[in-house]
Structure formats: C-alpha cells, structure tokens
Amino acid sequence: MHRVALALALVATDAFVRPTARMPSPSGLRAEVAEGLTAEDVSKLTSSVETVFPVEEVQKILPHRYPFALVDKVVAYVPGKSAVGIKCVTFNEPQFTGHFPDRPIMPGVMQIEALAQLAGVVCLQMEGAEPGAVFFFAGVDGVKWKRPVVPGDTLVMEVEITNWKAKFGIAKATGRAYVDGNLAVEVKQMTFALAK
C-alpha cells in the first residue's frame, strides 16, 4: 500500500523538472526541460497505476458533493480493508479565499475529512452498510501534520480499516497522506458511526 502512495506522490515532485534561466519558446520547450525529462516522461510515471474508482464511481459511493467532495479517484482498493485515493488540490477551491489570502494552505481539518471520505469509500461497501447510507465522523485521535498542503499539490491518501462492528455500525481506521513522497498528515485512529 505504501509503495503505491509513494509512487503517486513522487510524480508531483519538483525534483523531476528544474526551472530554466528563461522561459523557453514552445518549439524549444522539450529541449529546455532539465536533463531531457519531458512532460510525457513525467506523465508516464503513473501509467502503471490504474484507477479503480474514477470520480463518477466515487460519487455513487459517497454522498459528498462540491465544495466538499474531497476524493477525486481511488487507485487501490481491498474490499473491507483499505484504499489509496487521490485529492488534487487546486487554487479554485473556495477555502483558499480565506485560508489564507496571501498564502493559501489546505486547512488541516479538510485533510482529515479527505482521509475520512476515503475511509467512507471502503466502509460504505462493507457488509451491513446499505447503498446510500451515511457514515458520521465520531472521533479522531493521534493527528500529526508534517507539512503544509498547498494548491498544486497532489494529496495521495491511504486508509486502513482496523475494526468494523457491523452489528453496531461502528468502524475504526488509520490514515496517512503524502505530497511529493513526503508524509503530510497521519491519523492514528478515526472512528465512524453508520447513520441508522
């Protein structure tokens, strides 16, 4: 699971392309990219990563909608156990008008919510969860933020369901999210309650 998350996170890293002294002309763009690495080369780095659930499928599973839909796609999924998902962070998101106008940073609570939504993709397909059901966030413990998440980042998230009590509709999960191969946030435990 960690390998998929790290491989995807590395795609967005600035280590792949170094700025040149001047802006190249469109015809010279390919030659100006550092050490011959092109956009096509960088794009191919994730060619072996298949999308398990595109955004349309995620929307069939989760009830969240704009501006609070925080899982763009799922790229790894083990039913009832775990998932790896992607959140592309863009400047067009409404929270950046106020958090913060001169230095936009994705609020930490939204990073946790994104992980919770990814856990919801797993939980809402488990035994005891009916189609269209809603899981409520019931608790979060052991959160550590390691770096800011900003527009232009690709948040590569992984969650693992650690406990599921179908009789009571209670799930527990852990989660981590990476940017550029570096840990951005980790959660020791999230608790969810299935709405009855």
Side-chain angles (χ1 to χ4, degrees):
M1 188 73 71
H2 287 293
R3 287 185 196 161
V4 172
L6 289 173
L8 287 168
L10 286 172
V11 170
T13 186
D14 60 358
F16 290 115
V17 180
R18 292 169 180 57
T20 58
R22 63 178 177 78
M23 184 62 129
S25 66
S27 62
L29 180 62
R30 195 174 187 116
E32 293 288 332
V33 176
E35 300 172 27
L37 195 61
T38 66
E40 180 182 2
D41 297 331
V42 173
S43 178
K44 285 179 183 177
L45 293 173
T46 59
S47 64
S48 64
V49 179
E50 293 186 28
T51 298
V52 178
F53 300 125
V55 70
E56 297 85 4
E57 291 298 316
V58 170
Q59 288 186 334
K60 290 177 185 175
I61 300 165
L62 295 177
H64 306 80
R65 296 295 179 264
Y66 177 85
F68 228 65
L70 301 175
V71 177
D72 293 325
K73 65 181 174 179
V74 174
V75 296
Y77 173 69
V78 178
K81 298 205 181 289
S82 62
V84 173
I86 307 294
K87 163 67 178 139
C88 297
V89 182
T90 70
F91 186 71
N92 295 329
E93 296 174 45
Q95 69 270 13
F96 294 125
T97 59
H99 197 273
F100 299 96
D102 295 329
R103 187 172 183 212
I105 297 173
M106 184 178 186
V109 295
M110 293 189 77
Q111 296 169 40
I112 302 304
E113 175 65 21
L115 286 165
Q117 288 182 22
L118 182 60
V121 169
V122 180
C123 291
L124 288 170
Q125 298 182 84
M126 292 169 57
E127 179 185 337
E130 300 294 324
V134 175
F135 266 92
F136 292 121
F137 221 149
V140 62
D141 291 304
V143 178
K144 291 184 182 178
W145 284 276
K146 302 293 189 175
R147 59 157 291 165
V149 177
V150 299
D153 284 345
T154 301
L155 195 63
V156 182
M157 308 171 289
E158 63 183 4
V159 295
E160 180 181 349
I161 307 305
T162 58
N163 195 339
W164 167 235
K165 295 185 185 330
K167 180 178 178 181
F168 302 106
I170 303 291
K172 294 192 182 282
T174 62
R176 285 173 218 78
Y178 299 84
V179 173
D180 296 341
N182 299 303
L183 185 64
V185 60
E186 63 181 331
V187 180
K188 278 190 181 177
Q189 182 174 280
M190 296 178 280
T191 304
F192 307 96
L194 181 63
K196 298 281 182 176

